[in-house]
Amino acid sequence: MSPQLSWSDAPEGTQAFAVSCFDPDAPTPAGFWHWTVLNLPPTQTSIPRDFGNIDFPLPPGAVRAVNDGGTLGFIGAAPPPGDHPHRYVFAVHALDEPIQATDGIGCTPAAFMSVFHTIARATLTPTYQR
Protein backbone atom coordinates (compact mmCIF):
# COMPACT_ATOMS: atom_id res chain seq x y z
CA MET A 1 0.00 0.00 0.00
CA SER A 2 1.50 3.36 -0.97
CA PRO A 3 2.12 5.81 1.89
CA GLN A 4 0.49 9.16 2.47
CA LEU A 5 2.81 11.93 1.24
CA SER A 6 2.58 15.71 1.60
CA TRP A 7 4.64 18.53 0.14
CA SER A 8 4.66 22.31 0.20
CA ASP A 9 6.43 25.40 -1.13
CA ALA A 10 6.40 24.43 -4.79
CA PRO A 11 8.34 26.96 -6.84
CA GLU A 12 6.66 29.56 -8.99
CA GLY A 13 5.99 28.13 -12.41
CA THR A 14 4.97 24.66 -11.20
CA GLN A 15 2.43 23.32 -13.69
CA ALA A 16 2.25 19.67 -12.51
CA PHE A 17 3.78 17.16 -10.11
CA ALA A 18 5.22 13.69 -10.63
CA VAL A 19 5.47 11.20 -7.75
CA SER A 20 7.61 8.07 -7.89
CA CYS A 21 9.16 5.29 -5.83
CA PHE A 22 12.45 3.65 -6.85
CA ASP A 23 14.57 0.96 -5.16
CA PRO A 24 18.23 1.51 -6.17
CA ASP A 25 19.27 -1.54 -4.11
CA ALA A 26 17.21 -4.14 -5.97
CA PRO A 27 19.31 -7.09 -7.21
CA THR A 28 19.11 -5.98 -10.83
CA PRO A 29 21.59 -3.95 -12.91
CA ALA A 30 19.23 -0.95 -12.94
CA GLY A 31 17.33 -1.00 -9.63
CA PHE A 32 13.54 -1.43 -9.52
CA TRP A 33 10.77 1.09 -10.20
CA HIS A 34 7.88 0.51 -7.79
CA TRP A 35 5.62 3.32 -8.95
CA THR A 36 5.24 6.54 -10.94
CA VAL A 37 2.33 8.93 -11.39
CA LEU A 38 2.71 11.93 -13.70
CA ASN A 39 0.80 15.17 -14.15
CA LEU A 40 -0.82 15.62 -10.77
CA PRO A 41 -2.34 19.13 -10.71
CA PRO A 42 -0.21 22.02 -9.43
CA THR A 43 -2.76 22.69 -6.69
CA GLN A 44 -2.29 19.21 -5.20
CA THR A 45 -0.06 19.15 -2.11
CA SER A 46 -0.60 15.62 -0.85
CA ILE A 47 -1.69 12.14 -1.75
CA PRO A 48 -3.55 9.84 0.63
CA ARG A 49 -2.48 6.41 1.78
CA ASP A 50 -3.18 3.78 -0.90
CA PHE A 51 -3.19 6.39 -3.71
CA GLY A 52 -1.05 3.90 -5.66
CA ASN A 53 -3.90 1.40 -5.73
CA ILE A 54 -4.99 0.97 -9.35
CA ASP A 55 -8.62 1.37 -8.22
CA PHE A 56 -7.92 4.77 -6.63
CA PRO A 57 -9.27 7.49 -8.96
CA LEU A 58 -6.68 9.89 -10.35
CA PRO A 59 -7.29 13.58 -10.98
CA PRO A 60 -8.08 14.48 -14.61
CA GLY A 61 -4.94 14.50 -16.75
CA ALA A 62 -2.86 12.37 -14.37
CA VAL A 63 -1.02 9.40 -15.88
CA ARG A 64 0.05 6.06 -14.37
CA ALA A 65 3.32 4.51 -15.50
CA VAL A 66 3.94 0.76 -15.66
CA ASN A 67 6.23 -0.29 -12.83
CA ASP A 68 8.99 -2.88 -13.19
CA GLY A 69 6.56 -5.58 -12.11
CA GLY A 70 4.47 -4.87 -15.20
CA THR A 71 1.48 -3.22 -13.49
CA LEU A 72 0.16 0.34 -13.21
CA GLY A 73 -0.22 0.37 -9.43
CA PHE A 74 2.19 0.68 -6.53
CA ILE A 75 4.27 -2.40 -5.66
CA GLY A 76 5.28 -2.46 -2.01
CA ALA A 77 8.67 -3.17 -0.50
CA ALA A 78 9.67 -6.83 -0.89
CA PRO A 79 13.44 -7.27 -0.95
CA PRO A 80 14.65 -10.85 -1.17
CA PRO A 81 14.71 -12.48 2.29
CA GLY A 82 18.17 -12.13 3.83
CA ASP A 83 19.25 -9.39 1.41
CA HIS A 84 20.75 -6.15 2.74
CA PRO A 85 18.42 -3.25 3.63
CA HIS A 86 16.87 -1.64 0.56
CA ARG A 87 16.27 2.10 0.14
CA TYR A 88 12.93 3.18 -1.28
CA VAL A 89 13.29 6.66 -2.74
CA PHE A 90 9.95 8.44 -2.87
CA ALA A 91 10.32 11.58 -4.97
CA VAL A 92 8.00 14.46 -5.74
CA HIS A 93 9.01 16.49 -8.78
CA ALA A 94 7.63 19.96 -9.46
CA LEU A 95 7.33 20.21 -13.24
CA ASP A 96 7.33 23.33 -15.40
CA GLU A 97 4.82 21.65 -17.72
CA PRO A 98 2.84 18.40 -17.80
CA ILE A 99 4.60 15.42 -19.36
CA GLN A 100 3.21 14.33 -22.72
CA ALA A 101 2.42 10.70 -21.91
CA THR A 102 -0.48 8.29 -21.50
CA ASP A 103 -1.20 5.48 -19.05
CA GLY A 104 1.22 2.65 -19.64
CA ILE A 105 4.40 4.63 -20.24
CA GLY A 106 7.30 2.90 -18.48
CA CYS A 107 8.69 4.37 -15.28
CA THR A 108 12.17 4.80 -16.80
CA PRO A 109 10.94 6.78 -19.83
CA ALA A 110 8.67 8.78 -17.50
CA ALA A 111 11.66 9.64 -15.30
CA PHE A 112 13.75 10.55 -18.35
CA MET A 113 11.05 12.85 -19.71
CA SER A 114 10.47 14.41 -16.27
CA VAL A 115 14.11 15.32 -15.68
CA PHE A 116 13.96 17.93 -18.43
CA HIS A 117 10.96 19.63 -16.79
CA THR A 118 11.84 19.30 -13.09
CA ILE A 119 12.21 22.68 -11.41
CA ALA A 120 12.30 21.30 -7.85
CA ARG A 121 12.48 17.88 -6.23
CA ALA A 122 11.93 16.50 -2.74
CA THR A 123 12.72 12.96 -1.60
CA LEU A 124 11.98 10.71 1.34
CA THR A 125 14.02 7.50 1.65
CA PRO A 126 12.86 4.83 4.10
CA THR A 127 14.61 1.46 4.26
CA TYR A 128 13.28 -2.07 4.58
CA GLN A 129 14.80 -5.52 5.01
CA ARG A 130 13.29 -9.01 5.38
Side-chain angles (χ1 to χ4, degrees), residues 1-25:
M1 183 176 297
S2 61
Q4 186 277 330
L5 298 170
S6 298
W7 55 92
S8 61
D9 300 322
E12 187 175 323
T14 299
Q15 296 297 309
F17 290 103
V19 177
S20 62
C21 179
F22 178 72
D23 174 2
D25 302 311

Side-chain angles (χ1 to χ4, degrees), residues 47-128:
I47 53 174
R49 185 174 185 222
D50 205 25
F51 187 76
N53 184 323
I54 191 69
D55 294 325
F56 203 102
L58 291 180
V63 173
R64 288 183 173 102
V66 172
N67 58 46
D68 284 347
T71 66
L72 291 173
F74 175 77
I75 295 178
D83 203 12
H84 57 84
H86 285 222
R87 294 167 291 163
Y88 295 88
V89 181
F90 288 87
V92 177
H93 297 257
L95 305 172
D96 64 1
E97 66 180 52
I99 303 303
Q100 298 301 308
T102 58
D103 276 358
I105 185 174
C107 288
T108 298
F112 183 77
M113 293 170 71
S114 295
V115 75
F116 298 106
H117 296 286
T118 296
I119 55 177
R121 178 178 181 227
T123 62
L124 175 68
T125 308
T127 61
Y128 181 67

Side-chain angles (χ1 to χ4, degrees), residues 11-49:
E12 187 175 323
T14 299
Q15 296 297 309
F17 290 103
V19 177
S20 62
C21 179
F22 178 72
D23 174 2
D25 302 311
T28 68
F32 190 93
W33 284 101
H34 285 257
W35 183 44
T36 299
V37 177
L38 301 171
N39 300 339
L40 295 173
T43 55
Q44 190 158 355
T45 58
S46 68
I47 53 174
R49 185 174 185 222

